[in-house]
Every structure is written in structure tokens, then in C-alpha cells.
Amino acid sequence: MAKQTYDALIIGAGIMGCSSAFELASQGLSVAVLEKSAIGGGSTGKSSAIIRQHYSNEVTARMALYSLRVFQRFREVVGGEAGFRRTGFVVLTPEKDLWGLQANVKLQRELGIRTELLGAAEVRHRWPYLEIGDLVAAAYEEESGYADPNLTVQSYAVAAKARGATFHLDTQVTNVRLAGGKIQGVETTRGAFHSPVVINCAGPWGARVARLGGVDAPIESCRVQVAFFRRPPAFEPDHPVVADFKHAVYWRPETGGLTLVGLIDPSEKDAIVNPDRYRETVDFEFVADAGERLVSRFPAMEQGQGAGGFAALYAITPDWHPFIDEVPQGSGFYLCAGFSGHGFKLGPAVGRMVADMVLGQTTEGIDRRLFRLSRLEENDPVRGRYEYSIAG
Ligand SMILES: Cc1cc2nc3c(=O)[nH]c(=O)nc-3n(C[C@H](O)[C@H](O)[C@H](O)COP(=O)(O)OP(=O)(O)OC[C@H]3O[C@@H](n4cnc5c(N)ncnc54)[C@H](O)[C@@H]3O)c2cc1C
């Protein structure tokens, strides 16, 4: 049997597990990634993978910016391809959120994010095909876009392997072993693995894996959907990524002349499902609803054709922000889950933060204490300077 003792074990080969493996292996640690299905087989492989920096609190905005710089130079920094496409990103807000939009753009600009406020006339001028109705202002990030989540996670895995990490696929962690409050390793469907460090990157299964080590983490697995529409010929060329907070909808271009549409809707947290057994096909009602929201801003899509969709999972926490913490302190059991539908773009920063956490270091410019598990019982949830929805 292969060597089963490592400096660190990572549970889950999504973007968080693979970027953490890459960073830890780059620091010279021997790392094994244990994955019950395949690389990217959880939320990551089905992510819309939009990369924007529009966040309303400083820490997440810094994480998004750090990660954008990695996506922009992915081949140099990680190796391989992330499929990053710079399309620009437009945020549209209704009048009641104008003040908040201005406050958030100010915060982002102070951090070095290239974002600008646009008035209604400018929006109309740049994207004449948009129906802007009572829109007062928008923000635009010229550097943002989206990536290919499968390419990204595979590239991270290849780069981690090149630095000595091993990947054990089809290997489900069934127990987490502790002795005297210290991590000893895990048991899996393919035998025991030994290590003083276990990192839970299990996404929508994060609460279950935490429970294996005696930790309660409020992470719900929730079913969300996306739909595709074929653009009519006049619009085949392209469009930016758009987040429309009035209609609670986002859309981005997809290959093949398609537009991918999803919701930005707080009620998505109510669709709690068993992550091992949920309907992965899209609901007819969802396609109709997403189509209506899209057409209300992009009327030409009335002539577009529905092209299916699918359902996937968000790992949602009560404040829609992740847990990145050692629980309990000094145990060697680390939690890195609960990214609440917006984690993909943060993946590069999170890998770095996890490596720093395991090595007892701080991450320059990013204070990970914001994401401690105890914040909720301390009544100190992660909050933005001005929140207009669940955008973080
Ligand atoms: C439809 C959709 C659209 C999204 N759009 C965006 C977006 O536009 N931008 C953005 O930034 N984010 C987006 N997200 C969110 C983003 O994709 C996630 O936050 C991110 O992929 C989470 O990565 P992860 O590594 O934490 O989890 P996952 O990718 O779910 O990985 C967890 C892995 O753990 C494995 N695992 C679980 N339990 C065990 C066990 N016991 N033993 C071994 N392995 C185990 C699973 O098989 C899985 O592969 C979207 C998500 C979805 C579903």
C-alpha cells in the first residue's frame, strides 16, 4: 500500500482543497487530498465562476482582488489554464441602493480595485441594448470576467501534484481520528491516513465532515439552479457579466453563443437538500422565471431560445460567509467551508490563507479572524459597509 502518513490531509478536491494543496505543497509539506468522487466533482465543477471584486467589506474585497491577480497571471503563478475571460462586470442597482453602491465603490477603489460609477446615460451609451428603466446608477469593473472552473481546479491539482501532493480519488473520509484533543488522521473507504493536520474543504458536505471530528458548523447544503439561453443572432458576439440587484439575477456569456443565468436571491438558502440525493436537472418554472428576469433588462432575449440548465449546491452559512478556522484551537482540525455561492473567485486567496493558517502565519493584508467559527455565537457576523443583497 502507498505511503499513508502526511504532514497534512485535505478532505475535498474542489477549488478550496486544490488551491490549499498547491500552496501547502509549495511550502514543502507532504500533502494528500482525499476526494470521495472526482476533482471538481462538487460545487466547483458546476460553478458560474464569475470573477468580480464588487464586495461590501474590506477583507473579502481584498481576497477578490488578490485572486483576480492570480487568475490574470494563472499560467505563471500556478501553471496550466484557468480559462479566464475578461468581459467586464456591470452591477445595476435600483434607486434605494444608490448610496450603498457609492459607498462600496469608494471602499473598493481605496483598495486598488479598478471600478467606476456610471450614471444611467452612460450605461445607455455603453450597452444600448439594456433596458435600464428606473436605474439610477451602476458600477463597472473593466478587469473582471469569468473563468472555466473545471480547467482551474484541474490546473491547481496538476500544480499541487508537481510539488509532491498526492490525490486519492474515489476515497471517502468516514471518520476523523483525535486523541487527547489532537488530530491523528482519518479513516476512509480506502484505509487509514495519518497526519497531525486535517483540513475540511468538503463544501456542501462541510458540516458532515466537521461532525466526524466532533465540531458543529452551521453550513447548509442548498439546491440552486442555472439556465442557458441562446442569444439571437444580433447579439451573438458577446456581452459583459451583469449583476442586476433589482431583478435579483446575474448573467454572463457562455461558449456557443449562450447566456448563462442565475439568481441572486436570499431565499435560495431555504432549498436545503441532502447533498447526496437532490434533483440535478433544472425545473421548468426556474427556466421561465430566469428568462423573464433576463428579458426585463435585455429585451432582445425575448427572441432567445431556452437551452436547458442544471441544479447544483451552495454551502450556505447564516451570514453567507465561509468559515476558515482551526477548531478547536490547537487541535490540528481546520475548517475551510461554507462559501455560500461566492467562493470560486476567492479560491486563490483562500489557498494562501489556509497554508498560512496551518503554518501559523498571517496573510499580508487579509485578516482571516473575520471568518472564525465562533463569530455567530459572539453575535459578530461578517457584515458589509453597505449591503444590498447577498453579494458579500
Ligand atoms: C451554480 C453555482 C454557481 C456559482 N457561481 C459562482 C460564481 O459565479 N462565482 C463564485 O465566486 N462562486 C460561485 N459559486 C460558488 C463556488 O462555486 C463555490 O463557493 C466553490 O466552488 C466551493 O468550493 P469548495 O472547494 O469549498 O467545495 P466543492 O467544490 O463542493 O468541493 C468539496 C469536495 O469535497 C468532497 N467531499 C465531501 N465530503 C467528502 C468526504 N467525506 N470524503 C472525501 N471527499 C469529500 C466533495 O466530493 C467535493 O468534491 C457557484 C456555485 C454554484 C453551485
Side-chain angles (χ1 to χ4, degrees):
M1 182 174 277
K3 171 185 142 158
Q4 306 272 43
T5 301
Y6 296 87
D7 294 330
L9 302 175
I10 295 175
I11 306 174
I15 182 81
M16 304 311 168
C18 292
S19 62
S20 300
F22 166 73
E23 295 288 351
L24 283 165
S26 300
Q27 297 286 327
L29 274 72
S30 66
V31 178
V33 181
L34 310 170
E35 166 55 56
K36 71 182 174 66
S37 62
I39 293 168
S43 300
T44 300
K46 290 179 161 181
S47 183
S48 305
I50 291 168
I51 293 171
R52 46 101 181 165
Q53 294 135 89
H54 194 83
Y55 273 99
S56 60
N57 82 64
E58 196 175 317
V59 177
T60 41
R62 282 184 194 277
M63 290 164 69
L65 179 59
Y66 175 101
S67 301
L68 173 71
R69 297 291 175 240
V70 174
F71 282 112
Q72 287 170 328
R73 297 173 49 238
F74 198 81
R75 188 190 284 270
E76 262 169 82
V77 180
V78 180
E81 299 295 330
F84 175 62
R85 283 200 60 217
R86 173 178 165 161
T87 57
F89 171 74
V90 192
V91 188
L92 306 173
T93 53
E95 182 170 11
K96 69 177 178 50
D97 290 323
L98 174 62
W99 183 85
L101 184 76
Q102 287 168 339
N104 288 338
V105 165
K106 181 167 179 290
L107 173 146
Q108 291 151 17
R109 289 174 70 97
E110 282 163 7
L111 301 178
I113 292 169
R114 273 162 65 182
T115 178
E116 58 182 323
L117 277 172
L118 304 179
E122 185 61 24
V123 173
R124 211 173 271 122
H125 173 70
R126 292 196 195 189
W127 303 285
Y129 53 88
L130 290 183
E131 168 57 56
I132 59 171
D134 58 0
L135 177 87
V136 182
Y140 180 62
E141 294 170 8
E142 62 180 50
E143 291 190 284
S144 294
Y146 67 93
D148 180 322
N150 286 296
L151 265 183
T152 306
V153 72
Q154 293 291 346
S155 296
Y156 262 119
V158 168
K161 281 184 207 166
R163 287 157 181 76
T166 59
F167 280 69
H168 302 259
L169 307 182
D170 205 9
T171 302
Q172 180 167 353
V173 173
T174 52
N175 201 10
V176 173
R177 287 184 300 108
L178 290 119
K182 303 271 185 202
I183 282 287
Q184 308 295 308
V186 301
E187 281 153 28
T188 77
T189 46
R190 291 180 187 264
F193 287 75
H194 311 287
S195 176
V197 169
V198 168
I199 307 162
N200 171 1
C201 294
W205 295 263
R208 286 189 186 176
V209 168
R211 197 64 230 135
L212 295 177
V215 171
D216 285 321
I219 303 170
E220 300 287 5
S221 158
C222 303
R223 178 175 178 268
V224 295
Q225 303 177 71
V226 300
F228 298 101
F229 298 90
R230 192 172 307 285
R231 290 192 292 281
F235 290 95
E236 258 169 27
D238 223 345
H239 59 72
V241 176
V242 176
D244 175 359
F245 285 107
K246 177 163 183 215
H247 299 101
V249 65
Y250 72 82
W251 25 287
R252 72 147 168 89
E254 175 59 66
T255 47
L258 299 179
T259 292
L260 176 160
V261 185
L263 303 189
I264 321 169
D265 189 340
S267 70
E268 288 187 314
K269 73 175 186 331
D270 301 330
I272 297 172
V273 293
N274 175 344
D276 293 326
R277 259 195 317 278
Y278 69 98
R279 212 156 64 80
E280 295 186 47
T281 51
V282 70
D283 302 345
F284 174 77
E285 299 76 22
F286 177 86
V287 177
D289 179 31
E292 260 175 46
R293 295 184 200 220
L294 174 67
V295 166
S296 60
R297 270 296 177 220
F298 190 170
M301 289 303 284
E302 186 102 60
Q303 310 304 320
Q305 254 181 357
F310 59 80
L313 300 172
Y314 280 180
I316 301 185
T317 69
D319 63 3
W320 291 77
H321 285 280
F323 299 116
I324 305 174
D325 200 0
E326 184 182 19
V327 277
Q329 284 300 314
S331 63
F333 193 31
Y334 295 89
L335 177 59
C336 173
F339 284 85
S340 304
H342 60 98
F344 178 81
K345 76 182 72 57
L346 307 175
V350 172
R352 182 66 197 277
M353 290 161 73
V354 167
D356 287 339
M357 176 166 68
V358 169
L359 296 168
Q361 295 165 0
T362 54
T363 306
E364 202 189 327
I366 299 174
D367 185 357
R368 65 176 173 267
R369 282 175 309 176
L370 194 71
F371 305 115
R372 69 198 183 284
L373 179 61
S374 63
R375 68 178 185 265
L376 298 168
E377 61 201 39
E378 291 160 9
N379 201 18
D380 187 22
V382 178
R383 284 276 169 257
R385 190 177 287 187
Y386 185 96
E387 292 167 335
Y388 20 74
S389 184
I390 49 172

